[in-house]
Amino acid sequence: MEAMTGGKFLQKFRLYETRSKFYLIGRDKSRSHWRVLKIDRLECAELGVEEDPTSYTENECQELLWRIHEGNRLTGGLKFVTKCYGIVGFVKFLGPYYMVVITRRRKVGTICGHEIYSIGKSEMIAIPSVIVCPNVAYSRDENRYKRLLCSVDLSKDFFFSYSYNIMRSLQKNITEKNTGQVVYETMFVWNEFLTRAVRNHLKNTSWTVALVHGFFKQSKLSVSGKDFWLTLIARRSRHFAGTRFLKRGVNEKGRVANDVETEQIVFEDTSDGIPSHMASVVQHRGSIPLVWFQETSRLNIRPDIILKPDVDYKATRLHFENLALRYGNPIIILNLIKTREKKPRESLLRAEFAKAIHYINKGLTEDKRLKFLHMDLSKLSRRKGTNVLALLNKVASDVLDLTEFLHCEISTSAKSEGAPSGERTVAKPRDDKCSSDQSECVAKLVPLLLQKGVLRTNCIDCLDRTNVAQFAYGLTALGRQLHALGIIESPKIELHAPLADDLMDFYERMGDTLAIQYGGSAAHNKIFCEQRGQWKAATQSQEFLRTLQRYYNNAYTDNDKQDAINVFLGHFQPQQGKPALWKLDSDQHYNIGRQGTLKEEIARSFIKRSLSDGNILLENSLPVSNCNNGEKTGLLPMQQLDDIREPSDSAPDISICEPNPSSSMNYGTVPGGRHSMSEEWQNYLKRLGYPELHSSNFLDLDLLSSSGNSCDEEDEEVFER
């Protein structure tokens, strides 16, 4: 985390124009470093930018602007356009280039003296002068593309920093030296495409800001009379990004839908803003990494799930290889989808997911095997007397025993030419009281403990149930973080403690934000409401309204939202003589077998549909419920599946099983054999082609009930009520 020499990050800009050029004047926070960027306005088809290599003082810059004004007096002189706080990027549709700039910003937090901002307002400015702008600039299609791009509201849930690599976790910033161009190419920088042309031309990132999309919240909390700062960051991946029903599962490159990295940072409150210790923990959520998807339907609140067979699980393997590359090992998977249903939906994906993990683990060494935990959260939340959050806390505790978290020590000193090996430096603001000679101060970060591996949580949408599980993990981690910082004596925070309520508010807000981005409505927070003791009728009314909102947006607005995302990320680039984006088929058809750009030819495989509600479809095959027609088939008839029941018993102890060749555990079996799968259910899985899984990397945490199937999803249950 190296600071730029002298801390000369350009933070404030003023845009001027003549008939032939734009002049963008940038300066640092201390007003001692002034630079000039020239943008050609006489070329329509190409982007012409030139950076003045000279570093000016404020007076020299004013003199330069006066000379430019005098030299262009005959054509109108130099005119002020707007003040701004960085370039979001440049974009071209069918006509001229446009420049997107930030015209208003809001400070939302500080990490190690580095200020984090959100966007208050942005503006898109056409670059060519009116005299050279072609008629196509005012065409109907051009204006529609402009409206489409502007529908991506940069003032909501986008954040950035001039001096801190907010697109990476604190641990990565400490342990890796990558800066500049490299960090723009990470998966969490959403304007990578918009800034690519200017970055490649200038060979630097001084004029642009790297936007991260997701969630950022920082607040000062107190426990045991001690104040500390809690920061919660959610970074949404730009790869395979989109809306709920249009982006599902995994693509051929191993990138999953709704891929979000969540980081929880804790540090003590100090007068100078630089703490002596910091702690950070990272967790991950993402769609089930199988090749599956759903098609939106205005008549069906639960569209059919279409599962595409993948014999070798290549995409699934690529996904977990990428996770291991990002976070190390172990990779622990917490799967929250349903165990059994009257009509197999989630349960079939659950079994296929287990089969994929079992297949992948056979090719991995013992220390790199994936650890797979099953927990039917929907069933558990309906079971009377079951404290779901307590069970999740136990899981989180076992996971943290394996992965640990980042704990680093920070010391502040005057900046030296080089930092000792294993240390990274963080710039400290120049207006702090660290030095009186105008020299920069730095904070040296020395890691005492590093996180190894990550917890990956998923349900079907990775929104509602996943957010509850992530809160439980965050609460358990927070206790350990505060204990490591010496703020509390015990590493455990009780569920009913005031601090737990504060953290729940953080995760509830994050869950609502991510759910609106991906699902179209705020999250279903039924478990949070029950934990607070909220009136049940009020909770049901709130859940009903959110279900309606999600259904409406999924059915009527998601296609336009997906088109806007595709244009913003550069997945679709308009071309003269080619079909417009809105004339193409649904974005759903790009989910499978594409190479990452919508300019390629569109090919869609034939999918047989089912008239029944809620059936899982296998591509190029019949629905599950229609497969028993008297012919020999590998699928169990739905009538027989409905009669399958499992025994009921008390809750098992929850633990994470380490790989042990001498021990075995059948998939779906709780340790000690207290809960075993029924023989019929095992036969059902065998008929579907799922092997008996004798691997101690598998653990089922379900509380089995004899009360029948809990087959309704939360959305449908509330909708029917």
Side-chain angles (χ1 to χ4, degrees):
M1 208 146 51
E2 201 80 33
M4 182 181 291
T5 304
K8 297 177 181 178
F9 297 97
L10 301 181
Q11 295 193 21
K12 294 187 177 181
F13 306 84
R14 293 178 70 85
L15 183 65
Y16 298 86
E17 68 172 349
T18 64
R19 181 175 291 187
S20 60
K21 279 184 172 61
F22 275 121
Y23 293 90
L24 187 63
I25 312 299
R27 67 170 177 86
D28 64 348
K29 191 174 183 179
S30 64
R31 306 178 70 95
S32 62
H33 178 68
W34 297 71
R35 300 295 301 273
V36 179
L37 183 70
K38 304 172 186 177
I39 306 171
D40 186 10
R41 301 190 66 198
L42 298 179
E43 178 61 51
C44 186
E46 300 295 332
L47 178 63
V49 292
E50 179 185 355
E51 184 180 31
D52 188 334
T54 306
S55 179
Y56 296 94
T57 64
E58 185 171 1
N59 289 334
E60 290 172 342
C61 194
Q62 289 178 354
E63 291 176 4
L64 174 65
L65 292 177
W66 176 253
R67 291 198 301 269
I68 295 173
H69 175 70
E70 289 297 311
N72 291 271
R73 185 179 291 276
L74 294 178
T75 56
L78 184 71
K79 298 177 182 178
F80 173 74
V81 179
T82 184
K83 66 177 182 179
C84 54
Y85 299 94
I87 298 176
V88 173
F90 294 86
V91 64
K92 174 181 169 62
F93 305 119
L94 300 173
Y97 269 94
Y98 301 89
M99 177 171 59
V100 183
V101 295
I102 299 170
T103 56
R104 193 179 301 164
R105 67 182 183 184
R106 296 185 299 265
K107 181 180 175 181
V108 293
T110 303
I111 300 177
C112 276
H114 298 267
E115 295 172 331
I116 314 299
Y117 297 95
S118 66
I119 298 176
K121 188 178 180 181
S122 61
E123 187 175 346
M124 185 164 64
I125 302 170
I127 291 178
S129 180
V130 178
I131 58 175
V132 298
C133 192
N135 294 331
V136 71
Y138 306 100
S139 69
R140 181 180 301 177
D141 285 355
E142 180 78 4
N143 288 330
R144 186 165 178 178
Y145 279 121
K146 288 169 60 178
R147 290 195 301 270
L148 200 60
L149 184 72
C150 291
S151 68
V152 178
D153 191 351
L154 297 180
S155 66
K156 290 183 178 179
D157 312 325
F158 284 90
F159 49 95
F160 65 95
S161 175
Y162 299 104
S163 55
Y164 180 75
N165 291 328
I166 190 65
M167 73 293 294
R168 302 195 306 181
S169 67
L170 181 62
Q171 178 163 315
K172 278 191 175 293
N173 278 326
I174 293 175
T175 58
E176 298 179 6
K177 297 182 179 180
N178 295 333
T179 58
Q181 294 271 33
V182 177
V183 297
Y184 270 80
E185 297 168 3
T186 60
M187 62 193 298
F188 300 120
V189 177
W190 271 57
N191 60 332
E192 185 277 334
F193 167 73
L194 295 180
T195 60
R196 189 185 302 164
V198 66
R199 287 185 293 108
N200 291 341
H201 182 76
L202 299 178
K203 307 300 181 186
N204 66 55
T205 59
S206 299
W207 301 90
T208 58
V209 295
L211 296 184
V212 179
H213 186 40
F215 176 83
F216 185 98
K217 179 175 172 60
Q218 184 178 80
S219 290
K220 182 162 66 174
L221 303 177
S222 180
V223 61
S224 303
K226 298 179 182 178
D227 293 338
F228 67 94
W229 287 92
L230 175 65
T231 307
L232 188 62
I233 306 172
R235 305 175 179 95
R236 180 179 294 281
S237 172
R238 63 182 169 87
H239 300 313
F240 209 47
T243 56
R244 183 186 180 199
F245 286 136
L246 298 179
K247 293 294 182 183
R248 290 293 214 191
V250 65
N251 67 7
E252 75 284 352
K253 294 184 179 180
R255 295 161 177 167
V256 294
N258 200 19
D259 188 326
V260 181
E261 176 184 275
T262 301
E263 182 178 18
Q264 181 174 293
I265 303 175
V266 178
F267 55 89
E268 58 192 332
D269 182 38
T270 58
S271 58
D272 63 357
I274 300 293
S276 59
H277 289 80
M278 294 184 71
S280 165
V281 67
V282 171
Q283 54 180 317
H284 175 268
R285 71 169 73 183
S287 187
I288 298 173
L290 300 172
V291 185
W292 66 282
F293 50 94
Q294 290 175 280
E295 294 205 3
T296 54
S297 171
R298 297 184 180 181
L299 302 177
N300 185 0
I301 198 171
R302 298 196 330 174
D304 294 325
I305 294 177
I306 302 169
L307 179 64
K308 184 175 181 179
D310 185 4
V311 178
D312 297 325
Y313 301 106
K314 293 180 181 178
T316 308
R317 186 187 294 108
L318 283 174
H319 172 67
F320 286 112
E321 287 175 355
N322 178 260
L323 280 185
L325 186 64
R326 286 157 58 185
Y327 305 110
N329 289 300
I331 303 297
I332 300 147
I333 305 155
L334 179 56
N335 187 31
L336 303 175
I337 60 179
K338 296 178 182 178
T339 308
R340 295 184 300 136
E341 302 163 290
K342 291 181 179 179
K343 294 178 180 179
R345 291 173 52 84
E346 294 187 14
S347 56
L348 186 57
L349 286 178
R350 181 181 191 270
E352 181 72 12
F353 195 12
K355 181 181 176 183
I357 301 303
H358 177 70
Y359 182 88
I360 293 170
N361 272 344
K362 288 191 296 184
L364 298 176
T365 58
E366 188 172 306
D367 61 321
K368 295 182 179 179
R369 286 178 185 167
L370 307 171
K371 302 182 186 303
F372 198 23
L373 291 85
H374 289 301
M375 192 172 184
D376 188 340
L377 196 65
S378 180
K379 183 193 292 184
L380 288 173
S381 64
R382 292 186 176 94
R383 184 180 176 91
K384 292 184 179 180
T386 300
N387 190 329
V388 174
L389 290 175
L391 292 175
L392 288 169
N393 281 348
K394 182 62 172 67
V395 173
S397 180
D398 292 337
V399 170
L400 282 166
D401 287 340
L402 294 177
T403 64
E404 298 180 329
F405 57 93
L406 171 69
H407 177 207
C408 59
E409 185 179 42
I410 307 173
S411 61
T412 305
S413 63
K415 185 170 182 178
S416 58
E417 291 300 321
S421 178
E423 297 181 356
R424 293 292 177 267
T425 58
V426 184
K428 184 175 180 179
R430 294 193 61 225
D431 52 2
D432 259 323
K433 300 177 181 179
C434 181
S435 176
S436 60
D437 61 357
Q438 297 288 320
S439 63
E440 183 187 357
C441 297
V442 296
K444 297 179 180 179
L445 280 73
V446 182
L448 305 177
L449 180 68
L450 292 174
Q451 179 174 339
K452 50 185 187 295
V454 74
L455 173 65
R456 183 199 194 277
T457 307
N458 72 266
C459 50
I460 283 294
D461 297 324
C462 300
L463 297 177
D464 312 322
R465 287 169 284 183
T466 295
N467 203 58
V468 173
Q470 289 207 328
F471 159 71
Y473 183 80
L475 181 63
T476 304
L478 180 61
R480 300 193 183 200
Q481 289 174 305
L482 293 176
H483 179 69
L485 299 183
I487 296 177
I488 60 176
E489 296 181 359
S490 171
K492 184 176 181 181
I493 301 174
E494 298 297 332
L495 277 170
H496 295 285
L499 190 56
D501 291 336
D502 292 335
L503 187 69
M504 185 181 295
D505 180 65
F506 269 71
Y507 276 86
E508 186 172 11
R509 291 191 182 189
M510 180 185 75
D512 288 343
T513 300
L514 296 178
I516 290 171
Q517 293 167 7
Y518 181 67
S521 78
H524 292 291
N525 296 315
K526 180 180 177 182
I527 294 177
F528 289 161
C529 295
E530 291 175 353
Q531 179 67 21
R532 294 194 184 99
Q534 187 172 320
W535 186 34
K536 188 175 181 179
T539 302
Q540 291 176 345
S541 175
Q542 173 183 283
E543 300 299 285
F544 173 71
L545 292 175
R546 290 183 177 183
T547 297
L548 286 180
Q549 183 183 6
R550 188 174 294 187
Y551 163 72
Y552 175 83
N553 286 327
N554 294 162
Y556 294 96
T557 68
D558 274 3
N559 285 333
D560 290 338
K561 186 176 177 180
Q562 185 68 58
D563 287 345
I565 291 173
N566 288 337
V567 170
F568 188 88
L569 295 177
H571 295 330
F572 179 88
Q573 299 174 39
Q575 292 182 350
Q576 291 283 3
K578 296 294 182 69
L581 177 59
W582 44 89
K583 295 181 180 179
L584 300 177
D585 207 345
S586 166
D587 179 82
Q588 179 64 66
H589 308 144
Y590 311 135
N591 287 354
I592 306 299
R594 297 195 54 80
Q595 299 299 320
T597 171
L598 305 187
K599 294 190 293 183
E600 302 171 9
E601 293 298 322
I602 300 171
R604 182 184 181 191
S605 58
F606 175 70
I607 300 174
K608 296 186 177 181
R609 301 289 297 170
S610 169
L611 298 178
S612 60
D613 174 30
N615 291 335
I616 290 209
L617 304 181
L618 301 180
E619 194 173 72
N620 299 325
S621 67
L622 292 173
V624 172
S625 60
N626 294 338
C627 289
N628 185 35
N629 297 324
E631 302 176 7
K632 189 174 181 179
T633 175
L635 297 180
L636 188 68
M638 192 60 62
Q639 291 79 0
Q640 296 180 29
L641 180 60
D642 286 343
D643 296 330
I644 294 176
R645 296 290 184 270
E646 298 185 28
S648 174
D649 203 345
S650 59
D653 292 332
I654 301 176
S655 62
I656 298 178
C657 301
E658 291 292 336
N660 186 354
S662 63
S663 65
S664 65
M665 181 186 301
N666 290 340
Y667 163 64
T669 306
V670 176
R674 293 170 60 194
H675 299 292
S676 59
M677 299 177 67
S678 66
E679 186 175 352
E680 294 144 306
W681 185 251
Q682 290 179 354
N683 291 336
Y684 164 65
L685 291 179
K686 286 181 181 178
R687 290 188 181 188
L688 290 179
Y690 303 114
E692 289 184 273
L693 304 179
H694 301 284
S695 170
S696 57
N697 292 84
F698 289 81
L699 177 64
D700 198 317
L701 304 178
D702 292 336
L703 298 179
L704 306 179
S705 171
S706 60
S707 60
N709 295 325
S710 299
C711 60
D712 296 330
E713 290 185 9
E714 194 166 35
D715 273 350
E716 187 182 33
E717 177 191 358
V718 175
F719 186 76
E720 290 179 349
R721 185 184 301 125

